[in-house]
Amino acid sequence: MSVRILALVGSLRSGSHNRQLAEAAVKLAPEGAEVEVFDGLGEVPFYNEDIDVEGSVPAAAVRLREAAQAADAFLVFSPEYNGTIPAVLKNAIDWLSRPYGAGAVVGKPVAVVGTALGQYGGVWAQDDARKALGIAGGKVIEDLKLSIPGSANRFAETHPVDDAEVAAQLTEVVARLHGHAGEVAAA
């Protein structure tokens, strides 16, 4: 069975190490898993119930919801901004949590990973992302974590896919997420 994993990256910066980590996940996905990195989170307007009205939902939000609806699982890459989740990622979760109780993440396996400059690799932000995704209805896999500290130094000259330790850890994350998605689909 083929499993579609939608990757959401919480950094919009062109040289983002989290974006590079997501690109590595695409390359390292096991057979039967397809990781697709969603482009366009920066185009999605801030969530506002006044514009979340059938027939007038902004096109960027519709595109996000459609991609999420087609996914079997989510792999979220979160840097840490001021000790918490980036606004663009929280906004995506807000859009995907609606309509309440029936959003595109409901019941689907979710893993949150990432890298950050600090010594803990963004764990506070990743924990906040797990919390928000769980409240939105995602089936957060709490023991599936990867927080890579010191991103600016570690990836200054090496893409994450070429870092053997990171590649091995990320491969395991994607494989386990793939397995969880397969279990949900079979149930």
Side-chain angles (χ1 to χ4, degrees), residues 53-71:
V53 178
E54 191 171 333
S56 64
V57 175
V62 169
R63 200 167 70 78
L64 172 63
R65 283 179 170 166
E66 287 174 347
Q69 199 63 45

Side-chain angles (χ1 to χ4, degrees), residues 130-147:
R130 284 183 195 92
K131 176 182 172 185
L133 285 156
I135 291 169
K139 189 175 179 182
V140 177
I141 306 164
E142 292 290 343
D143 68 338
L144 192 50
K145 300 177 179 180
L146 176 59
S147 301

Side-chain angles (χ1 to χ4, degrees), residues 8-19 41 77-79 81 86 88-89:
L8 301 176
V9 180
S11 174
L12 302 177
R13 187 172 60 86
S14 62
S16 164
H17 296 121
N18 280 283
R19 175 65 184 218
L41 284 186
F77 295 85
S78 183
Y81 293 174
V88 69
L89 191 51

